[in-house]
């Protein structure tokens, strides 16, 4: 009865290793057919066969790591992945998330061609509605950060909204943001396609195998204990989704993965009398806390209520979690806002209210990276109900992290190390996720965690006394020799009217001679200068290849700068040194040694 | 002598001092206070007539008084909102001549219900919380003016455990007030080990700062009398000095401590009244305390050990969640009244056989007092000589008071009354979710099973409506929306209370015959004028203590 509809499984690949498992599946209930025995050892064991687990396996295989075993306690893509609404949305305020979503979108688009598994990929676009001016400004800020990432998007008027979607009531709207590249997928099938591709590259997939704990020796992963035996391994990847927390605590050396599951509801309806077109854009109504997408001619609509229902997964198996009750009373506020947004739906018949557990983290960012306490123990979980949007990209970065030692992008805001043990208290998590979830759909930059000043680089002088060594010396010397790729720069907004114009609130794109060179990381109004001052990293991209080049003092000084605040560009003057130094000694430029440390 | 068997706890002689003053203002019945429906008046009248014809005059004086005081109805008119559908009701009863009806709006009802609510949460230190009590909610709704119920809650600082109690006063609030201020100190002192007592005594002796004994959790309306604090302190000090001298060397048994504290306090109340005080205000106060009475129901929670000491007819009830999620109630106290056969038996064995018939009349002790055990009430404890001596030497106010002068009939072998509590010990189990302490105002209107269910469902956030499932039915979004909006309106009353005790009072006062809160009824009950309220309901005081099942479970497994 549960969403077989969404997971239209037709994926049995041609791979012999996997087929035997598949046979066991098809003869469900007949226990006599023996599953393939587990290997005694592997380089990597991944726990979890959802979108994140399969994506990590897929990307590890792509990067050449083939000795990988993926374990799934039930069936592939049977957890949250199967239930989720399948919306791939790139409209994310944090740039790393935006990049992950963008990559995921591109990956899913070509996945059907690559694997032959139907992924149901449809490019529908998405429309985020604004009922208030404040919301519109917030959307404009996201739009300007999307634009610099090369994702097409535009701010449109309510009338244009009506043209894009026939059912929307536009009377209370002030505008909207349209992202034409956003897509819909059959989430379970995407996961199965990734699994199929991974399996073809040599990844072994074992279903109905649950991990009881991870063995650790001398602070390093040595193996994995499962209900079907032991596997020796060097790396373990915890992609257990809502069970990740428990799994992290199951071993002798606990790994804190602060996430907590909440019930999440969405509604499915029968088709409309005039079925919705296949490519009608997905609607996100942050003020009404809902999203609405086309689903087989009817609609699928869910949202993030003000009073989330946390869920305890301890000791509960997958089946129990999947038979969660529909709670209409809980859904009532969301249904009201759906009918307000689309009044013509009143006569539409209900098919089902789906209760799908989702896991949330204390800061609404997913969790990835290596455990600070156990080497070789990697984690990718806590997708905050955006597993499909992030899954592809997150899997890629984690795979890079494992293979190369560091990912190709700065994933610091998502690193597991940002949490301490305090955040992994159940009581804290339970209360925190209730706060987080109600803010989820309203998220904009105002809620983002401040970027940690990981990269100090204003200006520092280092003397290297002979024969003395210190931590990081090598990196500094290397930097001294090669120069820096990112320069921390101060900008003074020139034609910005503090009383009338929107204020920078960090994350605004910086343009040099009309080209994007970075984003602001902080800003404030300076009473002395009577101007807004922004701080940010400036990078130098090769105009043709996009490759990062060394940032020189001249590069900074010889340029016209603009800062884009919610779509409006303001002229800015770049300063490499704090103002105090202007009044201090005349320090000559050529004496300056660049020593901003940067390495991601 | 007219003795009213109405809802009052203690019968009061008719010749009240205000009677002559008000009789001139006696109006015709139809012009009575407009909030009372005619039918209700007839009900009141009929009850009253039933008890005694003479009583009618006493009653009229009540009405007259009520009318007199509330005559400027404009003051209230602004508060009440006309309710349309009520006209139909009036019409059906052919009360066309009745003036307009006014009802309290839901926010007005809430402000009355919430005026005295108080919540306390035991500070939680993230899982390492070792208190088996999560916190408590308390509230009270007056029917008497001023209210005669009192409540107290405090954490013992020198020993472990928490004390909670409800006190139902009668013949005034003086005794309940004194007991609510003093009893916990007596209990805490009884529980203290010898060394701590010595330490405290030495501190007092040398004028050093005292160790704090109790941390009170008080609503701003719960006051302590400043004037008597010195007197009370001296009595308490005498008590601990005696405890120091007695030093049994044994570890203190909670049950014993509770019994000793109750008896000692009652004894002190009685002694203070006999000795008197040079300060005339205090002298009058101690006499009022001694001549009025109070019942007490006190719980002491320490880990899994729950002791309930009860004197009188307040009640403690444990809410237990069964394995199937349903709620059941376990009594943790016995009422001391005529309905308790054991209690009647006890009273009878304590007095000569010749008095057997006069001891309990009309379900009252000596035909007068409803509770069979109480603090104060020296009229049922002292000899006639002592009473006369004290009253005569006492201040004029006391001498003028008919009640204090009046000696109960058939008063041969005092004392007839004791403050000694019955103590029940209960080991808390994880399924024990909460404890309700409440005065008889609640238990008169609600069965304990309903109390357990209402509080249980409130605390777990489960409302008793069946969940909706679409199943195979053809339901449109619009239909579902209508249904949900309706349901939400129904359960909104659950969510407008942030306090379990308030929620319980809402049910106790407003429940209709189907067990659902009826706003009209609630509004009517709450808009009764002071003098009439007592005819329909008693003071209600409730404390709901919520237990931490995790901590209790850990205690059971020996983890704590």
């Amino acid at each position: 009865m549960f969403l077989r509809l969404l997971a239209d499984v037709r994926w049995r690949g041609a791979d012999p290793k996997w087929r035997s498992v598949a046979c066991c599946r098809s003869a469900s209930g007949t226990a006599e057919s023996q599953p393939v025995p587990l290997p005694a050892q592997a380089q990597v064991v991944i726990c979890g066969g959802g979108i994140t687990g399969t994506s990590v396996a897929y990307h590890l295989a792509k990067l050449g790591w083939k000795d990988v075993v993926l374990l799934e306690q039930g069936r592939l893509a049977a957890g949250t992945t199967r239930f989720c609404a399948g919306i791939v949305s790139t409209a994310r305020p944090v740039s790393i998330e935006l990049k992950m979503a963008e990559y995921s979108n591109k990956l899913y688009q070509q996945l059907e061609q690559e694997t032959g598994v139907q992924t149901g990929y449809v490019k529908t676009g998405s429309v985020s509605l604004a009922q208030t001016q404040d919301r519109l400004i917030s959307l404009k800020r996201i739009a300007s950060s999307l634009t610099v990432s090369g994702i097409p998007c535009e701010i449109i008027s309510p009338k244009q909204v009506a043209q894009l979607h026939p059912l929307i009531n536009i009377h209370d709207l002030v505008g909207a943001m349209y992202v034409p590249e956003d897509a819909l997928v059959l989430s379970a099938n995407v996961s199965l396609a990734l699994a199929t591709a991974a399996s073809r590259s040599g990844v072994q997939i074992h279903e109905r195998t649950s991990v009881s704990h991870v063995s650790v020796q001398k602070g390093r992963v040595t193996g994995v204990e499962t209900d079907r035996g032991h596997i020796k391994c060097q790396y373990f990847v915890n992609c257990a989704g809502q069970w990740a927390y428990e799994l992290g605590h199951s071993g002798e050396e606990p790994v804190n993965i602060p996430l907590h599951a909440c019930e999440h509801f969405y509604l499915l309806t029968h088709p409309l009398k005039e079925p919705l077109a296949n490519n009608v854009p997905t609607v996100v109504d942050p003020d009404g806390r809902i999203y609405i997408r086309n689903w087989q001619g009817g609609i699928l609509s869910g949202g993030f209520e003000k009073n989330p229902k946390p869920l305890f997964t301890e000791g509960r198996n997958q089946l129990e979690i999947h038979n969660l009750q529909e709670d209409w009373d809980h859904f009532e506020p969301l249904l009201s806002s759906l009918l307000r947004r689309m009044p013509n739906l009143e006569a539409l018949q209900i098919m089902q209210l789906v209760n799908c557990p989702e896991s949330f983290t204390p800061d609404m960012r997913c969790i990835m990276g290596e455990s600070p306490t156990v080497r070789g123990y990697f984690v990718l979980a806590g997708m905050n109900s955006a597993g499909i949007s992030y899954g592809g990209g997150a899997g890629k970065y984690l795979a890079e992290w494992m293979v190369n030692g560091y990912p190709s992008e700065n994933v610091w805001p998502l690193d597991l190390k940002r949490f301490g043990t305090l955040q992994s208290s159940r009581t804290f998590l339970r209360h925190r996720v209730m706060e987080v979830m109600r803010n989820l759909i309203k998220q904009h930059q105002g809620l983002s965690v401040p970027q940690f000043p990981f990269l100090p680089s204003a200006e520092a002088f280092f003397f290297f006394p002979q024969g003395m060594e210190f931590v990081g010396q090598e990196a500094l010397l290397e930097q001294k020799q090669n120069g820096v790729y990112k320069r921390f720069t101060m900008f003074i907004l020139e034609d910005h009217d503090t009383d009338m114009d929107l204020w920078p609130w960090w994350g605004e794109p910086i343009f040099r001679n009309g080209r994007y060179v970075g984003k602001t990381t902080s800003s404030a109004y300076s009473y002395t200068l009577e101007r807004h001052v922004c701080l940010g990293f400036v990078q130098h991209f090769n105009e043709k290849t996009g490759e990062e080049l060394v940032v020189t003092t001249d590069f900074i000084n010889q340029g016209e700068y603009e800062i884009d605040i919610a779509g409006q560009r303001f002229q800015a003057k770049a300063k490499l040194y704090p103002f105090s130094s202007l009044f201090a000694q005349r320090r000559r430029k050529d004496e300056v040694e660049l020593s901003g440390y940067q390495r991601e | 002598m007219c003795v009213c068997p109405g809802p009052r706890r203690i019968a009061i002689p008719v010749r009240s001092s205000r009677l002559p003053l008000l009789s001139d203002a006696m109006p015709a019945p139809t012009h009575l206070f407009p909030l009372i429906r005619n039918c209700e008046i007839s009900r009141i009248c009929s009850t009253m007539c039933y008890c005694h014809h003479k009583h009618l005059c006493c009653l009229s004086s009540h009405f007259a008084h009520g009318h007199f005081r509330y005559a400027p109805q404009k003051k209230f008119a602004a508060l009440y909102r006309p309710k349309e559908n009520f006209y139909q009701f009036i019409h059906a009863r052919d009360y066309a001549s009745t003036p307009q009806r006014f009802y309290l709006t839901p926010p007005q009802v809430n402000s009355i219900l919430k005026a005295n609510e108080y919540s306390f949460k035991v500070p939680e230190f993230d899982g390492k919380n070792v208190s088996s009590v999560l916190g408590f909610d308390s509230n009270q709704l007056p029917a008497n003016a001023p209210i005669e119920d009192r409540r107290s809650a405090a954490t013992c600082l020198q020993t472990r455990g928490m004390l909670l109690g409800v006190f139902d006063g009668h013949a005034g609030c003086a005794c309940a007030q004194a007991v609510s201020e003093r009893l916990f100190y007596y209990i805490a002192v009884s529980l203290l080990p010898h060394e701590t007592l010595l330490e405290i005594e030495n501190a007092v002796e040398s004028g050093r700062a005292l160790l704090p004994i109790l941390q009170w959790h008080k609503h701003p309306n719960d006051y302590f009398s400043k004037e008597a604090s010195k007197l009370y302190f001296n009595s308490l000090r005498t008590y601990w000095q005696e405890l120091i001298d007695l030093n049994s060397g044994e570890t203190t048994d909670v049950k014993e401590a509770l019994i000793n504290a109750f008896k000692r306090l009652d004894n002190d109340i009685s002694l203070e009244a006999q000795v008197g005080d040079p300060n005339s205000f205090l002298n009058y106060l101690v006499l009022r305390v001694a001549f009025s009475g109070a019942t007490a129901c006190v719980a002491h929670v320490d880990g899994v050990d729950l002791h309930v000491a009860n004197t009188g007819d307040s009640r403690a009830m444990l809410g237990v969640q069964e394995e199937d999620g349903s709620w059941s109630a376990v009594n943790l106290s016995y009422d001391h009244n005529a309905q308790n056969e054991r209690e009647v038996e006890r009273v009878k064995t304590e007095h000569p056989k010749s008095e057997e018939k006069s001891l309990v009349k009309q379900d009252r002790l000596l035909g007068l007092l409803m509770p069979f055990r109480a603090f104060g009430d020296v009229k049922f404890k002292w000899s006639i000589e002592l009473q006369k001596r004290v009253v005569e030497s006492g201040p004029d106010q006391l001498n003028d008071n008919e009640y204090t002068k009046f000696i109960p009939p058939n008063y041969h072998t005092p004392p007839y009354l004791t403050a000694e509590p019955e103590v029940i010990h209960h080991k808390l189990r994880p399924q024990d979710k909460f404890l309700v302490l409440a005065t008889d105002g609640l238990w008169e209107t609600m069965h304990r099973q309903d109390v357990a269910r209402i509080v249980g469902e409130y605390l777990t956030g489960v409302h008793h409506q069946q969940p909706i499932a679409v199943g195979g039915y053809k339901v449109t979004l619009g239909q579902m929306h209508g249904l949900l909006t309706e349901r939400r309106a129904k359960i909104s009353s659950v969510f407008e209370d942030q306090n379990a005790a308030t929620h319980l009072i809402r049910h106790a006062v407003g429940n209709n015959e189907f067990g659902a809160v009826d706003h009209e009824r609630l509004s009517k009950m709450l808009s009764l004028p002071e003098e009439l309220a007592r005819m329909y309901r008693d003071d209600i005081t409730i404390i709901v203590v919520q237990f931490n099942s995790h901590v209790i479970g850990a205690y059971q497994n020996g983890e704590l």
Side-chain angles (χ1 to χ4, degrees), chain A residues 492-506:
Chain A
I492 296 129
L493 294 185
E494 294 287 307
D495 54 349
H496 184 269
D497 184 340
T498 305
D499 297 325
M500 299 299 294
D501 292 324
L502 292 174
W503 285 19
W505 63 9
W506 323 351

Side-chain angles (χ1 to χ4, degrees), chain A residues 426-461:
Chain A
R426 265 297 191 210
T427 320
F428 166 77
L429 283 173
R430 188 178 169 85
H431 288 91
R432 180 60 185 154
V433 293
M434 287 169 72
E435 290 172 357
V436 171
M437 192 174 161
R438 71 175 79 125
N439 285 331
L440 194 71
I441 203 159
K442 299 170 81 172
Q443 66 172 285
H444 47 69
Q445 283 163 315
L447 284 168
S448 71
V449 257
Q451 302 263 324
F452 291 99
F454 186 57
L455 312 164
S457 62
E459 195 56 18
F461 291 92

Side-chain angles (χ1 to χ4, degrees), chain B residues 303-523:
Chain B
V304 287
D305 290 305
L306 169 63
H307 286 85
V308 176
N310 183 44
T311 286
D313 54 4
S314 293
R315 205 180 281 173
M317 183 215 87
L318 194 64
V320 182
Q321 187 163 32
E322 304 296 341
E323 273 175 21
D324 62 355
S326 66
W327 295 93
S328 63
V330 174
N331 269 352
L332 285 184
S333 67
Y334 303 109
D335 295 354
H336 300 137
N337 59 17
Q339 277 71 48
N340 182 344
E341 279 174 30
R342 254 183 349 137
E343 197 61 13
V344 175
E345 206 50 44
R346 177 187 66 82
V347 173
K348 284 185 177 166
T349 53
E350 284 173 4
H351 297 277
K353 204 137 181 73
S354 55
E355 290 183 48
E356 196 165 293
K357 284 196 177 133
S358 59
L359 270 175
V360 181
K361 273 185 176 171
Q362 289 159 340
D363 283 351
R364 285 162 186 258
L365 189 66
L366 297 176
L368 291 170
L369 193 63
M370 260 163 67
F372 279 30
R373 301 191 192 193
F375 281 95
D377 280 327
V378 290
K379 296 173 56 54
F380 296 85
K381 288 173 181 165
W382 290 354
S383 64
I384 297 179
E385 297 75 42
L386 181 59
Q387 289 190 36
K388 282 190 172 150
R389 185 167 59 78
V390 170
V391 171
E392 274 159 23
S393 65
D396 294 344
Q397 301 105 304
L398 194 69
N399 228 339
D400 290 345
N401 190 326
E402 286 288 335
Y403 172 69
T404 47
K405 271 204 219 159
F406 161 78
I407 303 285
N410 305 309
Y411 195 76
H412 306 299
T413 49
Y416 286 88
L417 196 62
T418 173
E420 178 172 340
E422 265 188 292
V423 179
I424 295 183
H425 176 228
H426 177 82
K427 281 256 181 223
L428 288 171
R429 307 155 296 168
Q431 64 265 41
D432 300 335
K433 300 296 182 190
F434 60 89
L435 173 75
V436 178
L437 298 173
T439 55
D440 59 342
L442 174 73
W443 307 112
E444 276 164 11
T445 54
M446 285 180 90
H447 191 265
R448 60 193 161 98
Q449 191 57 45
D450 293 329
V451 171
R453 182 180 54 78
I454 288 168
V455 176
E457 285 173 359
Y458 171 82
L459 290 179
T460 48
V462 179
H463 30 93
H464 49 272
Q465 290 192 24
Q466 285 293 312
I468 305 180
V470 175
Y473 297 104
K474 288 184 177 178
V475 189
T476 69
L477 290 177
Q479 287 166 337
M480 180 57 90
H481 186 229
L483 184 63
L484 292 175
T485 324
E486 209 172 279
R487 280 163 67 94
R488 197 181 54 167
K490 253 191 230 166
I491 59 171
S492 63
S493 75
V494 174
F495 292 112
E496 65 197 349
D497 293 327
Q498 273 92 49
N499 184 304
T502 312
H503 188 61
L504 205 45
I505 292 180
R506 190 185 295 277
H507 275 274
V509 178
N511 261 7
N512 59 16
E513 48 273 46
F514 308 110
V517 175
D518 173 356
H519 178 73
E520 269 181 40
R521 190 183 154 87
L522 191 59
S523 160

Side-chain angles (χ1 to χ4, degrees), chain A residues 360-403:
Chain A
F360 295 89
T361 59
D363 59 358
M364 285 192 271
R365 313 262 167 268
C366 76
I367 297 172
M368 64 156 55
E370 189 174 13
S371 156
T373 50
V374 182
R375 270 181 300 145
Y377 193 118
F378 282 84
V379 178
L380 181 56
M383 287 292 158
N384 298 296
S385 79
I388 284 298
S389 296
Y390 297 154
K396 175 183 167 222
Y397 294 136
L398 191 79
E400 286 172 353
W401 198 332
M402 292 171 68
V403 175

